Amino acid sequence: MEAFSDGVFAIAITLLILAVGLEQAFSEGELEQQLLDLWPAYIAYAVSFLTVGIMWANHHQIFRHFARVDRPLLLLNILLLLCVSFTPFPTRVVAEHAKNGSDREAAAVLYGLTMTLTAICFFSVWIYGSRRLLRPDADLREVDGITRSYLPGAPIYLLATLIAFVSPIASLIIFGALAIFYAISSSFFGRDPS
Amino acid sequence: MEAFSDGVFAIAITLLILAVGLEQAFSEGELEQQLLDLWPAYIAYAVSFLTVGIMWANHHQIFRHFARVDRPLLLLNILLLLCVSFTPFPTRVVAEHAKNGSDREAAAVLYGLTMTLTAICFFSVWIYGSRRLLRPDADLREVDGITRSYLPGAPIYLLATLIAFVSPIASLIIFGALAIFYAISSSFFGRDPS
Amino acid sequence: MEAFSDGVFAIAITLLILAVGLEQAFSEGELEQQLLDLWPAYIAYAVSFLTVGIMWANHHQIFRHFARVDRPLLLLNILLLLCVSFTPFPTRVVAEHAKNGSDREAAAVLYGLTMTLTAICFFSVWIYGSRRLLRPDADLREVDGITRSYLPGAPIYLLATLIAFVSPIASLIIFGALAIFYAISSSFFGRDPS
Amino acid sequence: MEAFSDGVFAIAITLLILAVGLEQAFSEGELEQQLLDLWPAYIAYAVSFLTVGIMWANHHQIFRHFARVDRPLLLLNILLLLCVSFTPFPTRVVAEHAKNGSDREAAAVLYGLTMTLTAICFFSVWIYGSRRLLRPDADLREVDGITRSYLPGAPIYLLATLIAFVSPIASLIIFGALAIFYAISSSFFGRDPS
């Protein structure tokens, strides 16, 4: 299952480049200006890449604690991958519409809902697995620590999504800040992979 | 062979997001409404993702029973992957045309034929392998159980395809219901992967 | 190296579906007729899928005979993968233009040149590896047999390419026939993978 | 981590074919001429393929020297993959605009900046890992040799990028020459993978 999950994570993360645009024709005129105008696409690409990349690292970390995989976990994992694979779509919508005042709200809500659902699936995989499939030698304090660290994920993303109805820009900035925060915190305080 | 099959499954499943659309420009106007109008695309994406995901889990399960791989199995498996890789195309056709009364029939038939062919290839891989390449220690009752559980797949999909000529909507609903049924039944009654 | 090659083969083969078209809008009008009119795309997809699939199986077979991988082999293999990755492009050009009398020649020549170059790279990987990196316990008769079986590949594809200047249709039929011939012959007379 | 990195490299390299174009419709008229006119796309594809391919081979080589992976290295590696995954975009921009005098500069600068950033990330992964995570039995002379061979990468790419402001054509030719130089030198003077 790890190989398949790794594959889906790797492909979803690489398809994010399609959100920047590999096929649309540039319109006539100054290429330089058009490339500069794509700055929201570059940021959206980097934020989603970081987010999915950290999620992949954490995915590995949690499966280390499971002694085996059963059928319900398999289904929960497929649902998680369904969300991860979906990421390039909201990324592209944000990339294209973040600069447009009237569309920014819808784009931020779509992005936020995808992230919230992904966080819920991720947490479900962890909770199910940590209740039923834990390795006999798992360090229960570490397990509790992981539960506590993943618990706020979905509520925070939901809150940032709701903020989009008041200020879409604030909402988008929070999504970016969360990616950077998770990247840095998991890098300096996370446990080394083994 | 497992690594290559895993790869093709993982890529085909991730490319399904292209059926929702990563490159087409949204037309001018309310983004929110356009995103809501894409609901058939979201459902088509989820149904195909579940279907291919379950198929991948079953693919692993059946290869566990084979002692080795021979050349004819390799060819049958390539034909199966050919069908699996094709899935994003009918998914996209359904996603785009499910709301259009006059096109719904053609879309449902294309989707159904793809699923029927895939089920036939899947069943062929299993029958060939279970007749010729079974592990000496395979539990014959389990083997019979698997044969019986896969036997109805192709006829059911063919029937649902034929229903499209009477009621395309009913046909599409059945495809969705089958994905959910297989996901739940394989999750609760399937054997744990090992 | 095998993992990376497997990955590239798996992705290139799955991207072939883009040759059928995942993003272009269908024009207004009868969807059924448009789906039927895509028949050259379905055939081109299947022929390229079979061709790349068989090539992947053979790629595994030849690396089984090598004791190790050195830097020049790595480069030759990257050149081979460069050709394999390119396959979706000519496949798509054939899919789109096979029905158009005046464009058929250019499409067939592009397809044929790609296949000829791929066959040359494949043969180079085998010849280099079988001269320098053979396992000490390799069966020399088998090695000779493989050399003899791969030798005609490039000339046959070159010949079929040249035929396109006389009859593009004949050329395209030969590409399809070659894929089926290789699939069947490797299935019934090839050595089992181990 | 190697599996995931391999996956991202393999997908990014295969997506390069999208830079040649898998979805854009050809305009009416001579297909042959249009295919010939795509020559900058074929060259851009080959140059980026070689560059990413060599980078992947070197990526394997450097991880061979690390005893383990820690969280900061994971983050540095994700940043490297972020750059590698981005490659198809500048490749496509160069492919499309290399022939257009007024756009060539912007295209070459985009390509060059991407390569410079990638080289910086690559070097950071190596420096961090070689300072902190070296295997106890690593050959320090070899480690120094690798450091010295990677050191000029980023400055050379930055220089070639700056040259684009004077002569975009010279800049593009240098990118191509660097790919060929790295391919040949790593092939003949690089250490064999193990």
Side-chain angles (χ1 to χ4, degrees):
Chain A
M1 186 164 80
E2 290 270 333
F4 182 70
S5 302
D6 268 11
V8 171
F9 271 102
I11 299 153
I13 214 171
T14 320
L15 285 184
L16 288 170
I17 193 60
L18 294 178
V20 179
L22 275 186
E23 300 268 350
Q24 301 100 322
F26 285 103
S27 51
E28 294 291 314
E30 277 277 297
L31 177 65
E32 191 189 330
Q33 196 52 50
Q34 291 185 58
L35 290 176
L36 292 174
D37 287 349
L38 279 176
W39 63 265
Y42 306 138
I43 297 179
Y45 167 77
V47 167
S48 288
F49 201 101
L50 266 185
T51 309
V52 175
I54 302 301
M55 216 185 301
W56 158 78
N58 291 337
H59 192 264
H60 263 272
Q61 195 197 13
I62 69 176
F63 274 83
R64 243 182 353 118
H65 292 280
F66 300 165
R68 57 191 184 86
V69 170
D70 68 1
R71 281 280 177 160
L73 185 72
L74 212 61
L75 180 60
L76 286 174
N77 193 53
I78 286 176
L79 292 176
L80 170 61
L81 296 177
L82 189 154
C83 293
V84 169
S85 274
F86 194 72
T87 317
F89 178 68
T91 302
R92 176 242 165 168
V93 171
V94 167
E96 220 168 272
H97 297 278
K99 289 211 291 195
N100 184 327
S102 64
D103 290 343
R104 211 182 280 136
E105 186 186 306
V109 170
L110 176 71
Y111 193 90
L113 283 181
T114 306
M115 288 299 151
T116 309
L117 272 174
T118 310
I120 290 173
C121 287
F122 196 92
F123 195 64
S124 307
V125 165
W126 170 246
I127 288 297
Y128 179 85
S130 68
R131 294 271 157 91
R132 300 270 189 109
L133 309 164
L134 222 52
R135 302 167 71 136
D137 62 342
D139 173 347
L140 289 183
R141 236 170 353 158
E142 201 191 333
V143 168
D144 276 0
I146 294 179
T147 304
R148 248 174 295 124
S149 74
Y150 290 156
L151 193 56
I156 287 177
Y157 272 112
L158 184 60
L159 193 69
T161 308
L162 294 175
I163 286 174
F165 292 106
V166 185
S167 164
I169 286 196
S171 174
L172 291 175
I173 290 173
I174 295 173
F175 295 136
L178 283 172
I180 293 170
F181 167 77
Y182 277 126
I184 292 175
S185 75
S186 90
S187 226
F188 291 108
F189 307 112
R191 285 177 66 89
D192 288 350
S194 64
Chain B
M1 185 164 82
E2 290 271 333
F4 182 71
S5 302
D6 269 11
V8 172
F9 271 103
I11 299 153
I13 214 171
T14 320
L15 285 184
L16 288 170
I17 194 60
L18 294 178
V20 179
L22 275 187
E23 299 269 350
Q24 301 99 322
F26 286 104
S27 51
E28 293 292 313
E30 277 278 296
L31 177 65
E32 191 188 330
Q33 196 52 49
Q34 291 185 58
L35 290 176
L36 291 175
D37 287 349
L38 278 176
W39 65 264
Y42 306 138
I43 296 179
Y45 167 77
V47 167
S48 289
F49 201 100
L50 265 186
T51 309
V52 175
I54 301 301
M55 215 184 302
W56 159 77
N58 291 337
H59 191 264
H60 264 271
Q61 195 197 14
I62 69 176
F63 274 83
R64 243 183 353 117
H65 292 279
F66 299 164
R68 57 191 184 87
V69 170
D70 68 1
R71 280 280 176 157
L73 185 72
L74 212 60
L75 181 61
L76 286 174
N77 193 52
I78 287 177
L79 292 176
L80 170 60
L81 295 177
L82 189 154
C83 293
V84 169
S85 273
F86 194 73
T87 316
F89 179 68
T91 302
R92 176 240 163 169
V93 171
V94 167
E96 221 169 89
H97 298 278
K99 289 210 292 194
N100 184 327
S102 63
D103 289 343
R104 210 182 280 134
E105 185 185 307
V109 170
L110 176 71
Y111 194 89
L113 283 181
T114 306
M115 288 300 152
T116 309
L117 271 174
T118 310
I120 290 173
C121 288
F122 196 92
F123 195 64
S124 307
V125 166
W126 170 246
I127 288 298
Y128 179 86
S130 69
R131 294 272 157 90
R132 300 269 189 108
L133 309 164
L134 222 51
R135 303 167 70 134
D137 62 342
D139 174 347
L140 289 184
R141 240 178 341 169
E142 202 191 332
V143 168
D144 276 0
I146 294 179
T147 304
R148 248 174 295 124
S149 74
Y150 289 157
L151 193 57
I156 287 177
Y157 272 112
L158 183 60
L159 193 69
T161 308
L162 294 175
I163 286 173
F165 291 106
V166 185
S167 164
I169 287 196
S171 173
L172 291 175
I173 291 173
I174 294 173
F175 295 135
L178 283 172
I180 294 169
F181 168 77
Y182 278 125
I184 292 175
S185 74
S186 90
S187 224
F188 291 109
F189 307 112
R191 285 178 67 91
D192 288 351
S194 62
Chain C
M1 185 164 80
E2 290 270 334
F4 182 71
S5 302
D6 269 11
V8 172
F9 272 102
I11 299 153
I13 213 170
T14 320
L15 286 184
L16 288 170
I17 193 60
L18 294 178
V20 179
L22 275 186
E23 299 269 349
Q24 300 100 321
F26 285 104
S27 51
E28 294 292 314
E30 277 277 297
L31 177 65
E32 192 188 329
Q33 196 51 50
Q34 290 184 60
L35 290 176
L36 292 174
D37 286 349
L38 278 175
W39 64 264
Y42 306 139
I43 296 179
Y45 167 77
V47 167
S48 289
F49 201 100
L50 265 186
T51 309
V52 175
I54 300 302
M55 216 184 300
W56 159 78
N58 291 337
H59 192 263
H60 263 271
Q61 196 198 13
I62 68 176
F63 274 83
R64 243 184 350 120
H65 292 279
F66 299 164
R68 58 192 184 86
V69 170
D70 68 0
R71 280 280 176 156
L73 185 72
L74 213 61
L75 181 61
L76 286 174
N77 194 51
I78 287 177
L79 292 177
L80 169 61
L81 296 176
L82 190 154
C83 292
V84 169
S85 273
F86 194 74
T87 316
F89 179 67
T91 302
R92 174 240 166 172
V93 171
V94 167
E96 221 169 88
H97 296 278
K99 289 211 291 196
N100 184 327
S102 64
D103 289 344
R104 208 182 282 135
E105 185 185 308
V109 170
L110 176 70
Y111 194 88
L113 284 180
T114 307
M115 288 300 151
T116 308
L117 271 174
T118 311
I120 290 172
C121 288
F122 196 91
F123 195 64
S124 308
V125 166
W126 168 247
I127 287 297
Y128 179 85
S130 67
R131 294 272 157 90
R132 300 267 191 111
L133 308 164
L134 221 51
R135 304 168 69 137
D137 62 342
D139 174 347
L140 290 184
R141 238 174 346 164
E142 202 192 332
V143 167
D144 276 0
I146 294 179
T147 304
R148 248 173 296 124
S149 73
Y150 289 157
L151 193 57
I156 287 177
Y157 272 113
L158 184 60
L159 192 69
T161 308
L162 294 175
I163 287 173
F165 291 107
V166 184
S167 164
I169 286 196
S171 173
L172 291 175
I173 290 174
I174 295 173
F175 295 136
L178 283 172
I180 294 169
F181 167 77
Y182 278 126
I184 291 176
S185 73
S186 90
S187 221
F188 291 108
F189 308 112
R191 284 177 67 89
D192 288 351
S194 63
Chain D
M1 185 165 78
E2 289 270 335
F4 182 70
S5 301
D6 269 10
V8 171
F9 272 102
I11 300 153
I13 214 171
T14 321
L15 286 183
L16 287 171
I17 193 60
L18 294 177
V20 178
L22 276 185
E23 300 268 349
Q24 301 99 321
F26 285 103
S27 50
E28 293 292 315
E30 277 277 298
L31 177 65
E32 192 188 329
Q33 195 52 49
Q34 290 185 59
L35 290 175
L36 292 174
D37 286 348
L38 279 176
W39 63 265
Y42 306 139
I43 296 179
Y45 167 77
V47 167
S48 290
F49 201 100
L50 265 186
T51 309
V52 175
I54 301 301
M55 217 185 299
W56 158 78
N58 291 337
H59 192 264
H60 263 272
Q61 195 198 13
I62 69 177
F63 274 83
R64 243 184 351 118
H65 292 280
F66 299 164
R68 57 190 185 85
V69 170
D70 68 1
R71 280 280 176 157
L73 185 72
L74 212 60
L75 181 61
L76 286 174
N77 193 52
I78 287 177
L79 292 177
L80 170 60
L81 296 177
L82 190 154
C83 293
V84 169
S85 273
F86 193 73
T87 316
F89 179 67
T91 302
R92 175 240 164 172
V93 171
V94 167
E96 221 168 88
H97 297 278
K99 289 210 291 196
N100 184 328
S102 63
D103 290 343
R104 210 182 282 137
E105 185 185 308
V109 169
L110 176 71
Y111 194 89
L113 284 181
T114 306
M115 289 299 152
T116 308
L117 271 174
T118 309
I120 291 173
C121 288
F122 196 92
F123 195 65
S124 307
V125 165
W126 169 246
I127 287 298
Y128 179 86
S130 68
R131 295 271 158 90
R132 300 268 191 111
L133 308 164
L134 221 52
R135 304 169 68 137
D137 62 342
D139 174 347
L140 289 185
R141 240 176 342 166
E142 200 191 334
V143 167
D144 276 0
I146 294 179
T147 304
R148 248 174 296 123
S149 73
Y150 290 157
L151 193 56
I156 287 177
Y157 272 113
L158 183 60
L159 193 69
T161 308
L162 294 175
I163 287 173
F165 292 106
V166 185
S167 164
I169 286 195
S171 173
L172 291 175
I173 290 173
I174 295 174
F175 294 136
L178 282 172
I180 293 169
F181 167 77
Y182 278 126
I184 291 174
S185 73
S186 90
S187 225
F188 291 108
F189 308 111
R191 283 178 67 91
D192 288 350
S194 64

